[in-house]
């Protein structure tokens, strides 16, 4: 049975139902593509000239999960408990079991937790960590890809320990492709975003908002979008730079269709969500979309992998006006297979902003931004022949690039920069400005913005005046939002943020 799944996976990505023009009707398969991105349709076999990847950033594999896992479609990292050691979350395909690996503080990782609760038969396809119940602690979430369609949430109960799962969020009869946790409407209440997709039955986006008190898993569906297109992936990010994160949808499918950029957008004026779509001149269905900032002048850019062509590419867009994205860069090189994973990775000691992408063929490419666009500066090939399904970035003793590889590799691997002949990252300590907290003083029930000079994951801890820790959570970028509703009462608090480059603190005064 497992062999059958392996053989079908490329077919599911390259064949399915698609609504290219958004009219609710499935369209026929295109027979041509613009593989050299000159604006004209090309015949079969035409491809762009290849860039030669530079060796200016070399990554070395330093750890793998070994034989513990099975068919990794997703993985993520963060500070999942209170010990300030980087954790990695992975899954076993069938039966559905979550696993946590934790840094040993010396550059390696140990297997510290395995889900032991008996759950109905099924297979995890997506995992994430977040705080869906607004209690200030990170929960582990797994999305199940069989027709049971359940989201499983595990609560952190102690160091390296997660308790009895909650399974109340269901998409019965749906195959869950992505689960994410975010506050997309900025009301200080988190939502669970669930994206389902099937190659023949189309897909859905459902938003469940936390409706119970902090620490109680109670959720209400507040929005649902249905399409005949095959929704393959999704991420959350502010691609239009309006301060409200959107749900960015990736569509799997056949070649020849224009890149329709699909987003679920929150309107603060009407307090409603709606589906938006922009059709660009670029050919290749979008997969693995992310919104990230490469410099302060441009704001967030939208980076999208190309799916559905024989060879993959990466596209970068800038939001210019209502529902309009301008293509600003296309990789002149093509990759062997669809680009199905993209992630930013701000490596310390490297002077230019970076993002990494992985095609279906199993290699990893790193692109760095300069004044003329992006250039390939890194190429890594694990040599397993497995598709790299997800990329995440974190830092432990040094920067980590975490890759999840599906069959036949079936493991999570960690890569670090080879610093031979380069500046060691441990010695790079940029000058941090003081942690800025605004507004300060603040009032209970409001949101406080915290800002550092450096982007990237960080561990946030809040202490009261007696030195007691009252809140710990991971933050993914700067600036970020601290929900004061998570703090126990009015008073004086110390906010501490631990980053790769050091620790910054600030005092927060909270009034009734």
């Amino acid at each position: 049975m497992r062999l059958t799944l392996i053989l079908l996976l490329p077919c599911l990505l390259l064949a399915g139902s698609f609504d290219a023009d958004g009219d609710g009707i499935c369209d026929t398969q295109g027979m041509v593509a613009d593989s050299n991105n000159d604006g004209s349709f090309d015949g079969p076999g035409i491809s762009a000239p290849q860039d030669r990847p530079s060796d200016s950033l070399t990554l070395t594999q330093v750890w793998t999960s070994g034989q513990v896992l099975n068919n990794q479609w997703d993985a993520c990292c963060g500070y999942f408990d209170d010990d300030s050691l980087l954790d990695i979350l992975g899954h076993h395909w069938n039966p559905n079991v979550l696993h946590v690996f934790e840094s040993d503080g010396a550059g390696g990782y140990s297997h510290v937790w395995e889900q032991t609760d008996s759950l109905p038969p099924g297979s995890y396809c997506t995992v994430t960590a977040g705080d869906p119940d607004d209690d200030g602690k990170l929960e582990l979430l797994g999305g199940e890809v069989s027709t049971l369609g359940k989201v499983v949430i595990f609560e952190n109960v102690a160091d390296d320990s997660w308790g009895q799962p909650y399974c109340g969020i269901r998409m019965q009869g749906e195959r869950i492709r992505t689960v994410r946790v975010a506050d997309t409407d900025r009301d200080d209440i988190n939502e669970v975003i669930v994206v389902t997709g099937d190659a023949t039955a189309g897909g859905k986006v459902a938003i469940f908002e936390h409706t119970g008190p902090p620490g109680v898993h109670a959720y209400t569906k507040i929005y649902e979008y249905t399409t005949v297109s095959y929704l393959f992936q999704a991420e959350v990010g502010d691609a239009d730079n309006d301060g409200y994160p959107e749900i960015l949808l990736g569509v799997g499918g056949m070649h020849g269709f224009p890149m329709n950029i699909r987003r679920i957008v929150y309107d603060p004026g009407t307090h409603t969500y709606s589906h938006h779509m922009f059709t660009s001149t670029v050919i290749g269905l979008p997969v693995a979309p992310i919104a990230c900032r490469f410099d302060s002048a441009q704001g967030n850019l939208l980076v999208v992998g190309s799916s559905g062509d024989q060879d993959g590419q990466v596209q970068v867009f800038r939001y210019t006006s209502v529902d309009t994205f301008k293509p600003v860069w296309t990789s002149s090189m093509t990759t062997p297979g669809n680009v199905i994973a993209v992630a930013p990775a701000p490596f310390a000691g490297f002077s230019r902003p970076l993002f990494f992408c992985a095609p279906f063929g199993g290699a990893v490419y790193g692109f760095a931004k300069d004044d003329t666009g992006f250039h390939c500066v890194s190429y890594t090939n694990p040599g397993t022949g497995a598709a790299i399904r997800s990329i995440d970035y974190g830092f432990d003793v040094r920067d980590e690039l975490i890759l999840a590889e599906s069959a036949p590799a079936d493991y999570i691997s960690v890569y670090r920069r080879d610093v031979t002949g380069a500046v060691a990252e441990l010695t790079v300590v940029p000058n941090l400005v003081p942690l800025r907290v605004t507004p300060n003083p603040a009032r209970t029930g409001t949101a406080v913005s915290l800002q550092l000079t450096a982007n990237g994951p960080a561990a946030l801890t809040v202490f009261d005046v007696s030195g007691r820790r009252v809140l710990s959570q991971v933050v993914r970028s700067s600036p970020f939002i601290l929900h004061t509703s998570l703090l126990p009462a009015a008073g004086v608090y110390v906010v501490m943020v631990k980053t790769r480059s050091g620790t910054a603190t600030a005092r927060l005064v909270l009034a009734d």
Side-chain angles (χ1 to χ4, degrees):
M1 182 64 179
R2 180 179 168 189
L3 178 61
T4 303
L5 286 172
I6 295 171
L7 293 174
L8 285 177
L9 287 176
C11 303
L12 293 178
L13 186 62
L14 295 173
S17 55
F18 310 99
D19 178 17
D21 53 10
D23 62 358
I25 302 173
C26 292
D27 302 312
T28 57
Q29 178 179 358
M31 298 303 295
V32 291
D34 181 14
S35 59
N36 59 2
N37 198 43
D38 63 358
S40 302
F41 288 137
D42 305 316
I46 298 178
S47 62
Q50 301 288 317
D51 286 345
R52 290 189 176 275
S54 167
D55 60 356
S56 58
L57 187 128
T58 303
L59 300 179
T60 301
Q61 186 184 84
V62 297
W63 177 85
T64 72
S65 58
Q67 303 300 310
V68 177
L69 308 176
N70 179 276
N71 207 6
Q72 291 304 283
W73 277 60
D74 202 2
C76 68
C77 67
Y79 305 97
F80 300 156
D81 49 22
D82 292 337
D83 57 15
S84 298
L85 295 171
L86 188 67
D87 300 294
I88 299 175
L89 174 63
H91 65 85
H92 192 281
W93 173 262
N94 192 1
N96 47 348
V97 177
L98 297 184
H99 295 261
V100 174
F101 304 87
E102 186 171 75
S103 166
D104 59 13
Y109 287 84
S110 301
H111 186 212
V112 297
W113 180 77
E114 176 180 338
Q115 169 193 326
T116 58
D117 299 272
S118 178
L119 297 175
S123 299
Y124 288 128
C125 175
T126 178
V127 295
T128 193
D131 184 18
D133 60 353
D134 296 301
D135 65 351
K137 298 187 297 182
L138 286 181
E139 284 79 49
L140 307 181
L141 295 87
E144 199 267 325
V145 77
S146 79
T147 54
L148 297 174
K150 60 182 181 291
V151 177
V152 186
I153 304 175
F154 289 84
E155 184 81 31
N156 180 232
V157 294
D159 189 31
D160 299 335
S161 182
W162 286 265
Q164 184 69 29
Y166 169 83
C167 303
I169 296 178
R170 293 292 185 105
M171 299 288 289
Q172 195 68 37
E174 303 288 332
R175 299 180 183 273
I176 297 178
R177 297 291 175 184
T178 305
V179 175
R180 294 292 181 261
V181 178
D183 181 12
T184 56
D185 56 4
R186 294 180 54 186
D187 63 353
D188 296 342
I189 301 173
N190 280 323
E191 296 95 42
V192 179
I193 296 111
V194 184
V195 177
T196 69
D198 187 271
T200 57
K204 289 183 180 179
V205 179
I207 301 176
F208 297 84
E209 188 161 71
H210 180 227
T211 51
V216 175
H217 290 290
Y219 304 92
T220 300
K221 185 189 293 185
I222 60 173
Y223 175 80
E224 184 173 280
Y225 164 70
T226 301
T227 175
V228 297
S229 293
Y230 176 24
L231 299 184
F232 189 68
Q233 293 165 318
E235 285 298 339
V236 177
D238 185 10
D240 59 7
N241 293 284
D242 67 348
Y244 287 86
E246 306 104 55
I247 303 167
L248 310 171
L249 302 180
V251 184
M254 300 168 286
H255 69 279
F257 287 119
M259 183 169 284
N260 297 301
I261 298 172
R262 296 173 176 243
R263 304 177 299 143
I264 304 298
V265 178
Y266 177 75
D267 183 349
T270 61
H271 304 290
T272 58
Y273 291 89
S274 58
H275 171 257
H276 292 234
M277 184 170 71
F278 168 71
T279 301
S280 77
T281 58
V282 176
I283 300 298
L285 296 171
V287 173
I290 59 171
C292 56
R293 186 179 298 268
F294 295 101
D295 57 55
S296 57
Q298 289 186 314
N300 290 330
L301 298 177
L302 179 67
V303 184
V304 179
S306 176
S307 157
D309 296 320
Q310 183 176 4
D311 299 308
Q313 289 183 304
V314 184
Q315 319 286 346
V316 178
F317 297 85
R318 179 185 298 114
Y319 188 83
T320 57
S321 59
V322 178
D323 290 335
T324 302
F325 288 84
K326 176 185 177 181
V328 296
W329 179 81
T330 300
S331 59
S332 59
M333 60 179 291
T334 56
T335 59
N338 309 306
V339 174
I340 58 176
V342 179
F347 273 76
F350 194 79
S351 59
R352 289 180 283 162
L354 290 159
F355 73 85
F356 287 81
C357 71
F360 196 81
V364 182
Y365 298 81
F367 291 91
K369 186 181 184 303
D370 58 23
D371 293 338
T372 61
F374 294 84
H375 297 279
C376 188
V377 296
S378 178
Y379 173 78
T380 304
N381 191 340
T384 63
I388 297 172
R389 297 288 182 175
S390 74
I391 305 174
D392 203 0
Y393 163 81
F395 63 90
D396 180 31
V397 295
R398 287 186 19 217
D399 296 87
E400 319 276 61
L401 199 69
I402 288 97
L403 310 179
E405 299 184 57
S406 57
D410 293 337
Y411 58 60
I412 297 171
S413 56
V414 173
Y415 284 77
R416 296 195 185 106
R417 184 184 180 190
D418 185 351
V419 296
T420 303
V423 178
E425 292 159 19
L426 285 175
T427 65
V428 177
V429 183
N431 294 323
L432 283 176
V433 300
L435 176 64
R436 290 183 291 178
V437 180
T438 55
N440 190 9
R443 293 192 175 275
T444 57
T446 61
V448 175
S449 175
L450 299 92
Q451 188 163 13
L452 286 169
T453 56
N455 259 325
L460 168 67
T461 308
V462 180
F463 302 89
D464 63 16
V465 290
S466 67
R468 182 176 65 93
R469 180 171 53 202
V470 298
L471 175 66
S472 296
Q473 65 184 50
V474 66
V475 294
R476 304 296 295 174
S477 62
S478 178
F480 50 92
I481 301 299
L482 169 64
H483 300 149
T484 61
S485 58
L486 301 177
L487 303 181
V492 179
Y493 295 90
V494 175
V495 180
M496 182 177 73
V497 178
K498 177 185 176 184
T499 72
R500 170 187 63 233
S501 44
T503 301
T505 60
R507 190 176 74 154
L508 169 63
V509 178
L510 190 60
D512 285 325

